Amino acid sequence: MLFEFSDEHGELRRTVRDFCEKESDENRVRELMSSEQGYDPKCWSRMAEELGIVGLIVSEKHGGADLGMVELAIVAEEMGRVLLCAPYLSSAVLATSALELAADEAAQNEILPKLASGEAIGTLAFSEPAHPWELSKIAMTAEADGSAFALSGEKSYVLDGSVASEILVAARAGAELALFRVAPDASGLSREALPPLDQTRRIARLRFDRTPATRISSGDISDQLNRALDRAIVALAAEQLGGAQRVLEMATEYAKTRFQFGRPIGSFQIIKHQCADMLVAVELARSAVYNAAFASEEDPESVSIAAQMAKSYCSDAYLEISNRNIQVHGGMGFTWEHGAHLYFKRAKASEVLFGSPSFHRERMAHSLGFGAR
Amino acid sequence: MNESELRERTRALLAEVNPDAGGDQRVPFRAAQFDHGLAWVHFPEGLGGLGLAPKLQGIVNDELHKGAKTFYEDMLINPIGIGMGAPVLLKYGKQEDMRGLLRRCFTGEEIWCQLFSEPSAGSDLAGLAARAVRDGDDWVLSGQKVWTTLAHVAKWGLLVARTNPDLPKHDGMSYFLIDMHTPGVDVRPLYQITGEAEFSEVFFDDARVPHSQMLGEEGQGWKVAIATLMNERVALGGGASKKGGGSIAVLIDLLKSVESQRSAAEDAVLRDRVARLYIESELLRLTGLRARAARHSEGPGPEGSIGKVAQADISKEIWECCSEVFGADALVYEHGYELRQGRTTVSDNRLQAKYNLLRSRAYSIEGGTSEIMRNILGERVLGLPGEPRVDKDMPWKDIPRSR
Ligand SMILES: Cc1cc2nc3c(=O)[nH]c(=O)nc-3n(C[C@H](O)[C@H](O)[C@H](O)COP(=O)(O)OP(=O)(O)OC[C@H]3O[C@@H](n4cnc5c(N)ncnc54)[C@H](O)[C@@H]3O)c2cc1C
């Protein structure tokens, strides 16, 4: 596999980078991260209308661009690079994929066009406190009353759960894993924004108390949802790659221009080697992400393992690099004013989101047949 | 005085003033401790000590731990004054009211801060630019300091300034104890990763400091600064005060009390990491004890950097590991990031660990970076050759600087 990007891919990357650099410079990020909503609805509309990237992976018949994981990885990488504050991962990736892969046609027809056009923000509420990232351990079970259902219990760490207008919930119907749709103003639903470690991505806790829900899938959708989650994991890993690349650049720039002892600090071997180690890690992370992205097109069977590899490697790499970057910046890297901490916090939160490196390595060991006996 | 007499003397102090008596006993108790010569036993009589070997301070602290529930940690009361300022003042100061200064320093009635780092001089402290120009009996200060912890509450500042820019950098500095309330000293908060301002920027605009406040002689600033920093590294690298105490205790408590979201296999991996960190913290503590026992009265040497490096690495990893124990809950940061002055203290282990994941990023920067500590260990302890120096012998004003 040689990861060949086409001219169109290059064009997409340039367009998104341009947009991100203009619309999401550090000042803007700081404004949005301390704002109530956490994103800019106007910017979101422009991403949908001018760039067409909100509906990037939505199929054409539902108003999307019908593109694949390679394009998604490019877009996510650029967003991660600038810490774009937008409900992209939640709405354009996870909720969209869940609908595309697991929902009934009627629900797809109704909801996907709204997500693709940016008119609605979607989220998939699946994490439960006991085993947040394992779909097979989802315990919330819908109470059935004829064709109507009611949900009770709690979903946590729901991405953009406070602002989403299309709330999808993964819960059981009997033994089957199913997708439900809950109206934002449904009775018994309460949404609580959680104070985030990483202020550039919002999370919420959703509580359901006999909340009316519509089942929008048929049969057991474990496989489909796992595939949707894999897509989100690959997108997250791509974001991590973009962030790590940016942090490497920050550290290198600083090491060239900061003088101590009459010379640039980058001339001290320990700093030079730290920057070189960051570069090695970024390039391995890049291979992990592109491997997972291209696998979806060329070898779908291998996507799960590729996603686990990417998520565990990119998480470790991004965290280590953003940590090192603080160190290279000395006292400056510890300040609020400098951007280094924003990347550190994003790296830490991304490491945790969708499962820790250790969690993914354990799953990978199983998939590769050397799991625990 | 032998060990049992020292224990006896400490018990007598506790009988006289009881730290557990209720209300805030800190000032009266610490004042009495100072007057009994139990503040720093290796200091001279009358100045908080008894002229004993420094390692005997351990006996006093042990007895204080045993005799009362309340134990006042130097590092919490006046970290810079007690750990770093007092020994330097004692050795280099000519102040008339030495006793009063040391006593108020020990009780925490007067907080001290350290005005060393500048925007262009951090690791390369000797590159500093703040100027002091002699005018009659005073020195007139101009320039800027940065990252000054506690400056916003400090009464006294330990200050290094350039008194002769034409000399090579190490030779042209002098050291002062400056009253932070002097006109022309302006303290502005500087916010950090947690949203708090523990440190400040300090600007000098023709602030005057009397010549009598100089520590050491004119041109000896580097020597006094190094003595200060070595004390700091020992203070920062000491490890926990009791077995299994400090940050590792928090980690183990969390491991036991936080509901695991992990599989048995992941739990085993995590447990291995915690056990390794336990070993490392315990060895750090024991190394600190050995270093203190070997301490001579001239104060610590460059080997103090061993504890400082190890402490930074181990503590940072302990707080990272706590975060792993939290699982998905690590996404939530209850403290919030409102910009504010001072430092968060919480007794709840969970919240403390969340805060310290962020705060600990500075452990390998404050008090000298881990890279600089490793240079010191390599060059000054192991005697490895230094890197070629471009700046050492030229006049300070001619050294290349950041663009
Ligand atoms: C929380 C906190 C509290 C502080 N409190 C105080 C205080 O109270 N008073 C005070 O005076 N200062 C204080 N400081 C400042 C601290 O001492 C400096 O930040 C530290 O010495 C590093 O200097 P710098 O920030 O300028 O980084 P720089 O010196 O610019 O270092 C940048 C990077 O270059 C590396 N580097 C520099 N020189 C070399 C070399 N020769 N070889 C290899 N690597 C090198 C460093 O290790 C670092 O990684 C505090 C800092 C922090 C973070």
Side-chain angles (χ1 to χ4, degrees), chain A residues 258 260-261 265 268 270-271 327-332 334, chain B residues 80 114-117 122-123 146-149 199 359 362 365-369 371-372 375:
Chain A
R258 167 74 174 170
Q260 290 286 275
F261 302 96
I265 57 169
F268 296 115
I270 192 165
I271 298 295
Q327 186 68 20
V328 168
H329 280 80
M332 187 64 88
F334 187 65
Chain B
I80 291 162
Q114 179 192 16
L115 299 154
F116 282 20
S117 307
S123 297
V146 74
W147 327 123
T148 316
T149 305
F199 46 36
R359 180 59 183 81
I365 301 169
E366 58 194 329
T369 69
E371 289 77 19
I372 293 298
N375 286 348

Side-chain angles (χ1 to χ4, degrees), chain B residues 51-339:
Chain B
L52 302 174
K55 65 178 178 192
L56 291 175
Q57 190 66 40
I59 304 291
V60 174
N61 292 350
D62 184 46
E63 212 48 56
L64 291 178
H65 270 300
K66 277 196 237 157
K69 274 212 267 315
T70 311
F71 181 84
Y72 301 105
E73 295 280 359
D74 294 348
M75 287 301 280
L76 297 181
I77 294 179
N78 191 1
I80 291 162
I82 297 172
M84 307 154 60
V88 167
L89 181 69
L90 180 69
K91 188 154 173 197
Y92 295 101
K94 305 175 277 282
Q95 274 70 3
E96 273 170 31
D97 185 25
M98 186 77 92
R99 179 183 146 80
L101 275 171
L102 289 171
R103 196 171 186 262
R104 291 188 300 275
C105 170
F106 188 72
T107 58
E109 287 160 281
E110 289 177 351
I111 304 298
W112 293 29
C113 67
Q114 179 192 16
L115 299 154
F116 282 20
S117 307
E118 298 181 6
S120 61
S123 297
D124 182 16
L125 175 60
L128 60 83
R131 276 285 269 143
V133 177
R134 186 76 189 250
D135 180 30
D137 283 343
D138 290 342
W139 290 86
V140 181
L141 286 170
S142 55
Q144 186 199 340
K145 296 289 176 179
V146 74
W147 327 123
T148 316
T149 305
L150 295 169
H152 61 294
V153 290
K155 163 71 176 165
W156 297 106
L158 300 163
L159 169 81
V160 199
R162 188 152 306 277
T163 41
N164 188 344
D166 297 318
L167 292 175
K169 61 184 202 172
H170 293 96
D171 301 332
M173 291 177 283
S174 302
Y175 195 115
F176 302 90
L177 181 66
I178 183 176
D179 184 337
M180 294 297 284
H181 303 143
T182 306
V185 178
D186 182 17
V187 177
R188 301 180 201 160
L190 197 55
Y191 298 95
Q192 64 196 38
I193 186 169
T194 54
E196 300 160 296
E198 283 178 68
F199 46 36
S200 303
E201 296 178 286
V202 180
F203 295 85
F204 302 107
D205 183 13
D206 290 342
R208 301 181 85 86
V209 51
H211 180 69
S212 57
Q213 289 295 86
M214 186 182 275
L215 303 190
E217 303 303 323
E218 184 180 342
Q220 278 193 343
W222 181 246
K223 184 169 145 193
V224 185
I226 288 295
T228 315
L229 291 174
M230 284 181 180
N231 284 307
E232 175 175 32
R233 280 154 203 169
V234 168
L236 289 174
S241 52
K242 58 177 198 282
K243 185 170 176 169
S247 52
I248 191 69
V250 175
L251 171 57
I252 290 171
D253 170 61
L254 293 172
L255 186 70
K256 291 200 278 198
S257 61
V258 173
E259 187 106 21
S260 169
Q261 300 167 342
R262 293 169 296 274
S263 66
E266 290 166 68
D267 266 334
V269 172
L270 184 59
R271 203 157 52 240
D272 179 73
R273 187 174 178 205
V274 174
R276 175 171 58 71
L277 286 167
Y278 179 89
I279 293 170
E280 289 174 1
S281 349
E282 181 59 5
L283 300 182
L284 174 67
R285 185 184 72 84
L286 294 172
T287 307
L289 285 180
R290 279 175 52 227
R292 275 194 289 279
R295 213 168 105 184
H296 21 266
S297 311
E298 300 89 79
E303 66 285 353
S305 297
I306 296 174
K308 168 77 168 72
V309 170
Q311 171 91 308
D313 286 350
I314 296 167
S315 304
K316 280 176 85 168
E317 196 185 340
I318 287 177
W319 298 119
E320 285 159 17
C321 193
C322 287
S323 162
E324 193 171 340
V325 170
F326 290 138
D329 182 48
L331 290 168
V332 183
Y333 191 67
E334 288 84 350
H335 297 280
Y337 293 112
E338 199 194 329
L339 299 186

Side-chain angles (χ1 to χ4, degrees), chain A residues 26-258:
Chain A
E26 195 180 308
N27 287 333
R28 192 80 190 113
V29 169
R30 285 175 187 266
E31 257 170 60
L32 291 175
M33 77 185 197
S34 47
S35 71
E36 171 83 24
Q37 278 184 305
Y39 79 106
D40 174 4
K42 277 206 214 79
C43 176
W44 185 246
S45 309
R46 291 186 51 206
M47 284 165 64
E49 287 154 24
E50 288 170 32
L51 271 65
I53 54 176
V54 172
L56 190 83
I57 58 170
V58 174
S59 49
E60 225 167 310
K61 64 173 187 234
H62 297 127
D66 208 8
L67 293 169
M69 285 308 293
V70 175
E71 289 80 7
L72 180 62
I74 290 171
V75 168
E77 189 183 334
E78 293 305 320
M79 291 177 175
R81 184 181 165 82
V82 297
L83 305 177
L84 183 83
C85 300
Y88 198 81
L89 190 60
S90 51
S91 187
V93 183
L94 190 52
T96 293
S97 300
L99 287 165
E100 283 279 355
L101 297 170
D104 296 339
E105 210 178 320
Q108 290 181 335
N109 289 339
E110 189 188 342
I111 309 170
L112 278 169
K114 287 198 277 178
L115 295 189
S117 69
E119 182 193 329
I121 306 267
T123 192
L124 173 68
F126 69 96
S127 297
E128 294 177 7
H131 298 281
W133 316 117
E134 265 172 296
L135 298 176
S136 62
K137 301 243 166 92
I138 287 176
M140 183 187 276
T141 306
E143 254 174 85
D145 180 8
S147 67
F149 288 89
L151 296 173
S152 294
E154 184 180 314
K155 295 282 182 183
S156 217
Y157 321 111
V158 179
L159 293 176
D160 300 300
S162 300
V163 294
S165 49
E166 279 298 338
I167 301 169
L168 311 177
V169 183
R172 305 217 166 257
E176 289 175 349
L177 192 61
L179 202 55
F180 294 89
R181 184 183 185 197
V182 170
D185 57 358
S187 68
L189 169 66
S190 64
R191 308 198 257 173
E192 179 198 355
L194 296 169
L197 174 71
D198 165 23
Q199 294 173 285
T200 64
R201 180 150 32 223
R202 298 302 166 87
I203 47 175
R205 181 185 294 137
L206 270 52
R207 289 203 173 87
F208 305 84
D209 182 15
R210 314 199 48 130
T211 304
T214 316
R215 184 173 180 176
I216 56 169
S217 64
S218 341
D220 182 83
I221 55 159
S222 296
D223 285 347
Q224 292 89 322
L225 272 195
N226 266 316
R227 275 194 282 138
L229 191 54
D230 279 344
R231 283 192 187 177
I233 286 172
V234 175
L236 180 57
E239 273 191 11
Q240 291 173 313
L241 167 63
Q245 170 68 39
R246 177 68 197 107
V247 171
L248 163 66
E249 289 164 18
M250 282 166 82
T252 314
E253 278 159 30
Y254 195 71
K256 286 179 186 167
T257 50
R258 167 74 174 170

